[in-house]
Amino acid sequence: SVAAPAEETPSLGGGGSRRARGFNRQGQDSELSCLNSAQNGESSSAVGTHSNGVLTSTNNGNNVGAGLGSGTCVASTSSGSEVGSMKKKKRLSQSEEDVIRLIGQHLDGLGLNQTVDLLMQESGCRLEHTSATKFRNHVMEGEWDKAENDLNELRALMHSPNAIVRMKFLLLQQKYLEYLEDGKVLEALQVLRGELTPLKYNTDRIHVLSGYLMCSHAEDLRTKTEWEGKGTNSRCRLLDKLQTYLPPSVMLPPRRLQTLLRQAVELQRDRCLYHNTKLDSSLDSVTLLLDHVCSRSQFPCYTQQILTEHCNEVWFCKFSNDGTKLATGSKDTTVIIWQVDPESHQLKLLRTLEGHAYGVSYLAWSPDDTYLIACGPDDCSELWLWNVPTGELRTKMSQSHEDSLTSVAWNPDGKRFVTGGQRGQFYQCDLDGNLLDSWEGVRVQCLWCVGDGRTVLASDTHQRIRGYNFEDLTDRNIVQEDHPIMSFTVSKNGRLALLNVATQGVHLWDLQDRVLVRKYQGVTQGFYTIHSCFGGHNEDFIASGSEDHKVYIWHRRSELPIAELTGHTRTVNCVSWNPIIPGLMASASDDGTVRVWGPAPFLDTQEVDGLNGCASMTWFSRMQC
């Protein structure tokens, strides 16, 4: 936050006070300029003010800076004989002046007041307009009448005449609240009636402010207003708001240098192909001396574990919502629950659920991870609902032997689910398998429940995804493809859908705008059902299995894969990314194994980061072009 005015301190290099800060000390309203003082080696006998508002040094009363234009810099000399042969220094460009002002503002925020004074005096630049400096000091000192008068001086410097009214409203609001906190109810009432109301601005807010007159004490006032109370912090916040109405040539936006540096760091992270950790908005956690680079070695591209407990093709895998478990379903008629070690991220067998005669081709965790639903392939008419903590079968549902219950999705309330299949049945049921609603004639390929708790998305045999509302019994087209949609999944925010399309590969759709956003290249997708997923921190990545035995990973904004993972020997049917541990991923294959992927073990981070990181950034730049 902006520092409060310190006590007046003599500036280095010639006169002035802390309050003036050496920025145009005599109060001229000229534009920003730069002028270096020249001395002849003797102490100067006078200090004058140039017409552009900055200081010039004189020797024996003769102004050596006289006649120089605005923005001109003069080289200082050490001998009187050289005064006449002074050479003009290069004029500072606008960007150079901006940098000096940004540095000055940052140093001022650190309390290095004398350093700021010297920087501004030596460069000849002005941190802010003198009227703005005066306005800042009056606000921080709570001299509200003087601050209002300062606004009249600032009016001519502002682009929008309406801004003055808004700024005055903010000032008077602070004044009103401080009076109330001090128990000066009559003074506060006078501000409300005689100053705020006549502005005829934001009447609704004035009504809210008037209600604070009923607060019984200061603590009650701060609670109801969600205000910090009278003092440096609240006045600094007020200044931050007021500065947004002033041109940057008059007063810099708050903490402008930190804002620019933070934006640069965020942009570098955003362009980093392998960045997979939480974005920290603080600059304290990064170095500004080097560009941000993450390497492939830090990414889940390396086999950490191979799970071989299944004895036939593994058709599906899915991490629990809390990331502590992995469920795998196989043609061998079993579901295996694996426990994820929170430290080592190694998986160990926790429980085996048996008896699925048709095999298990789809799994869905309940929102609280208490239950797990297992579905079979196309000719399976049964759905199994397991209690995971106890390992007990709660429900075994089958409406008809003619049904095909191959897909399922949980309602966000965790008390209902929808299920359906290729034979035209589409049901909504409770935890005991009781039928609540049904939709006839919908040949379902895959299902997803939207966060509103009312709408269900279903891909069907007409190469589309439709939205079905179970409350008003309406349906509508959302996605239309030209080829069969084998499976799809939806991002956590419900905005994006990831489709595996027969013979086409992986497509990304925007469900809100109903547009195809991107087609990802590389994957081999025929007519097998392959399940892809969003993953990584903030779901910035996409992973999919493939019929060429590989796992493909893309950055969400890049059509080309950033990694192709090898190791499986047959089709990779499903990939699941741990929702809590961004560096953990699992893949299930027809080769009967489940592979667990993580960062490279025993890596020399300094060496590998330098090589792989630079290569990845160059690749990304080419793709952007």
Side-chain angles (χ1 to χ4, degrees):
S1 59
V2 180
E7 294 181 2
E8 295 187 358
T9 307
S11 64
L12 302 183
S17 66
R18 166 71 185 103
R19 183 170 298 180
R21 186 91 40 76
F23 327 131
N24 196 357
R25 299 181 189 277
Q26 301 301 320
Q28 283 80 355
D29 295 340
S30 56
E31 296 301 315
L32 297 177
S33 58
C34 172
L35 182 66
N36 279 343
S37 61
Q39 296 181 342
N40 64 359
E42 301 177 8
S43 60
S44 56
S45 59
V47 178
T49 304
H50 194 266
S51 60
N52 64 1
V54 296
L55 295 178
T56 61
S57 298
T58 63
N59 179 52
N60 298 326
N62 298 320
N63 190 341
V64 299
L68 298 178
S70 174
T72 306
C73 298
V74 180
S76 49
T77 61
S78 58
S79 171
S81 63
E82 299 175 0
V83 172
S85 60
M86 289 185 303
K87 295 181 180 180
K88 290 184 179 180
K89 292 180 68 176
K90 172 194 165 191
R91 172 196 285 262
L92 289 182
S93 67
Q94 184 61 53
S95 63
E96 289 169 334
E97 289 189 10
D98 290 346
V99 170
I100 290 173
R101 294 181 68 206
L102 291 172
I103 294 172
Q105 184 193 44
H106 183 65
L107 294 176
D108 182 58
L110 297 176
L112 304 178
N113 306 322
Q114 291 186 344
T115 305
V116 177
D117 285 345
L118 185 59
L119 173 64
M120 293 302 148
Q121 179 183 334
E122 189 172 358
S123 67
C125 297
R126 187 173 60 188
L127 181 59
E128 60 187 16
H129 198 283
T130 48
S131 296
T133 301
K134 187 167 59 172
F135 178 63
R136 176 196 301 279
N137 292 332
H138 288 154
V139 170
M140 294 305 298
E141 292 162 8
E143 298 181 357
W144 307 117
D145 293 340
K146 292 181 180 179
E148 279 192 68
N149 291 333
D150 295 335
L151 287 179
N152 295 325
E153 295 182 26
L154 293 170
R155 184 189 299 271
L157 303 172
M158 300 176 65
H159 301 314
S160 171
N162 296 329
I164 289 292
V165 176
R166 299 182 188 127
M167 293 176 74
K168 186 174 289 189
F169 186 90
L170 291 172
L171 278 177
L172 293 173
Q173 178 179 251
Q174 179 84 7
K175 178 181 178 180
Y176 170 77
L177 292 174
E178 289 194 10
Y179 274 148
L180 282 181
E181 187 182 44
D182 290 339
K184 299 177 180 179
V185 179
L186 292 179
E187 289 87 341
L189 187 59
Q190 175 57 36
V191 172
L192 186 68
R193 290 179 176 175
E195 299 181 72
L196 274 168
T197 302
L199 288 178
K200 296 181 180 179
Y201 175 76
N202 203 344
T203 306
D204 292 339
R205 179 60 180 167
I206 290 177
H207 290 159
V208 173
L209 291 173
S210 65
Y212 298 146
L213 287 166
M214 305 304 294
C215 293
S216 56
H217 50 79
E219 187 61 37
D220 184 31
L221 174 69
R222 288 191 290 270
T223 301
K224 290 182 178 178
T225 58
E226 297 181 356
W227 176 59
E228 293 175 286
K230 178 180 178 180
T232 301
N233 288 339
S234 67
R235 289 175 182 174
C236 281
R237 292 184 184 278
L238 172 62
L239 262 177
D240 286 353
K241 295 177 182 177
L242 293 169
Q243 281 177 294
T244 61
Y245 296 103
L246 293 171
S249 59
V250 177
M251 183 184 286
L252 286 172
R255 296 168 292 280
R256 182 59 183 162
L257 181 59
Q258 294 97 315
T259 298
L260 291 173
L261 292 173
R262 190 177 299 111
Q263 289 173 350
V265 170
E266 289 174 355
L267 180 62
Q268 289 180 18
R269 285 172 170 170
D270 201 39
R271 289 183 173 179
C272 179
L273 279 179
Y274 296 107
H275 187 75
N276 193 26
T277 56
K278 183 178 181 181
L279 294 177
D280 187 352
S281 59
S282 170
L283 294 176
D284 296 334
S285 61
V286 299
T287 175
L288 299 177
L289 306 181
L290 294 171
D291 286 347
H292 171 86
V293 173
C294 295
S295 81
R296 189 178 189 274
S297 60
Q298 300 164 301
F299 208 66
C301 296
Y302 303 87
T303 300
Q304 287 190 337
Q305 220 176 337
I306 302 176
L307 310 178
T308 59
E309 277 72 2
H310 284 294
C311 57
N312 209 326
E313 298 173 359
V314 186
W315 288 339
F316 200 84
C317 63
K318 184 70 174 178
F319 279 104
S320 59
N321 299 293
D322 63 7
T324 63
K325 298 176 182 65
L326 174 72
T328 58
S330 170
K331 186 178 180 180
D332 67 7
T333 74
T334 67
V335 174
I336 297 180
I337 308 296
W338 309 85
Q339 184 73 46
V340 180
D341 187 282
E343 300 296 330
S344 67
H345 299 168
Q346 291 288 299
L347 276 66
K348 65 178 181 180
L349 195 151
L350 178 65
R351 181 170 286 115
T352 300
L353 309 174
E354 300 177 334
H356 298 265
Y358 294 88
V360 179
S361 62
Y362 196 85
L363 295 164
W365 291 89
S366 64
D368 63 0
D369 295 326
T370 300
Y371 298 107
L372 181 71
I373 294 179
C375 298
D378 286 347
D379 53 350
C380 179
S381 61
E382 295 178 346
L383 174 149
W384 300 53
L385 192 155
W386 295 90
N387 185 309
V388 177
T390 65
E392 297 175 351
L393 180 65
R394 167 156 181 171
T395 304
K396 183 177 179 181
M397 171 187 161
S398 178
Q399 292 294 325
S400 165
H401 292 297
E402 300 300 319
D403 281 346
S404 173
L405 304 183
T406 58
S407 184
V408 67
W410 284 90
N411 190 284
D413 64 12
K415 299 176 181 178
R416 295 169 289 163
F417 61 86
V418 290
T419 182
Q422 290 279 11
R423 297 179 184 172
Q425 306 84 23
F426 183 13
Y427 304 121
Q428 185 177 52
C429 309
D430 62 17
L431 294 179
D432 295 318
N434 298 316
L435 187 63
L436 303 177
D437 289 294
S438 65
W439 216 291
E440 294 298 328
V442 181
R443 300 181 183 274
V444 172
Q445 192 81 10
C446 193
L447 293 165
W448 192 271
C449 287
V450 180
D452 61 10
R454 302 185 301 271
T455 308
V456 175
L457 303 181
S459 60
D460 56 33
T461 53
H462 296 284
Q463 304 167 5
R464 64 190 180 183
I465 296 177
R466 292 173 64 81
Y468 297 86
N469 190 310
F470 274 91
E471 288 191 358
D472 56 21
L473 300 180
T474 59
D475 59 291
R476 61 193 177 104
N477 261 20
I478 296 178
V479 168
Q480 181 67 59
E481 283 278 2
D482 296 328
H483 297 80
I485 300 171
M486 307 308 293
S487 68
F488 76 94
T489 187
V490 178
S491 60
K492 290 179 181 177
N493 62 11
R495 179 71 184 262
L496 300 172
L498 192 61
L499 284 61
N500 281 75
V501 183
T503 72
Q504 302 300 300
V506 181
H507 292 179
L508 183 69
W509 281 78
D510 186 314
L511 296 177
Q512 182 173 310
D513 295 338
R514 303 185 195 179
V515 295
L516 177 61
V517 177
R518 197 160 285 113
K519 296 180 179 180
Y520 297 100
Q521 301 178 25
V523 68
T524 303
Q525 169 82 62
F527 288 89
Y528 287 110
T529 298
I530 293 176
H531 300 272
S532 57
C533 67
F534 293 96
H537 182 72
N538 201 35
E539 295 193 322
D540 284 333
F541 304 97
I542 285 167
S544 178
S546 175
E547 293 179 18
D548 63 3
H549 314 164
K550 295 179 182 178
V551 174
Y552 287 83
I553 302 177
W554 301 267
H555 196 286
R556 203 167 67 188
R557 293 186 305 275
S558 169
E559 293 183 359
L560 297 176
I562 62 173
E564 298 176 17
L565 313 187
T566 60
H568 286 294
T569 58
R570 293 182 63 187
T571 296
V572 180
N573 299 307
C574 184
V575 181
S576 179
W577 209 305
N578 192 294
I580 305 300
I581 307 171
L584 190 62
M585 190 173 64
S587 58
S589 170
D590 280 349
D591 63 13
T593 69
V594 175
R595 283 186 175 252
V596 181
W597 307 87
F602 315 116
L603 56 93
D604 182 343
T605 54
Q606 186 173 1
E607 179 179 345
V608 179
D609 285 3
L611 295 174
N612 292 349
C614 292
S616 67
M617 291 296 287
T618 304
W619 184 19
F620 184 80
S621 299
R622 289 203 306 269
M623 290 190 293
Q624 290 294 89
C625 294

